[in-house]
Amino acid sequence: MKPDVTRNEELPIYESLIRERGDVVEEARVVAEETQHQMTQALNGHAAPPSEPAAH
């Protein structure tokens, strides 16, 4: 097992990748939360019409 010091040294690489490619993990979390909210609304009988996918 590597010490935590090595783990902290890797963070700049991750941050660089986020700047270059975007934070895919964060985007997936946001989409999952939106989907969960929509499904909750649909199951409660308050479904909104489907929206257009966001342009990237």
Side-chain angles (χ1 to χ4, degrees), residues 27 31 53-56:
E27 291 174 20
V31 171
H56 293 290

Side-chain angles (χ1 to χ4, degrees), residues 7-25:
R7 211 174 144 107
N8 288 336
E9 292 172 359
E10 295 173 2
L11 291 177
I13 294 170
Y14 181 73
E15 291 171 1
S16 174
L17 287 171
I18 289 174
R19 282 192 301 274
E20 292 175 15
R21 307 284 179 152
D23 192 344
V24 176
V25 175

Side-chain angles (χ1 to χ4, degrees), residues 3-54:
D4 287 337
V5 174
T6 303
R7 211 174 144 107
N8 288 336
E9 292 172 359
E10 295 173 2
L11 291 177
I13 294 170
Y14 181 73
E15 291 171 1
S16 174
L17 287 171
I18 289 174
R19 282 192 301 274
E20 292 175 15
R21 307 284 179 152
D23 192 344
V24 176
V25 175
E26 173 65 14
E27 291 174 20
R29 183 190 63 75
V30 168
V31 171
E33 288 177 353
E34 290 173 354
T35 302
Q36 183 178 17
H37 176 73
Q38 291 172 355
M39 292 303 102
T40 300
Q41 293 296 314
L43 290 172
N44 290 329
H46 303 288
S51 61
E52 292 294 319

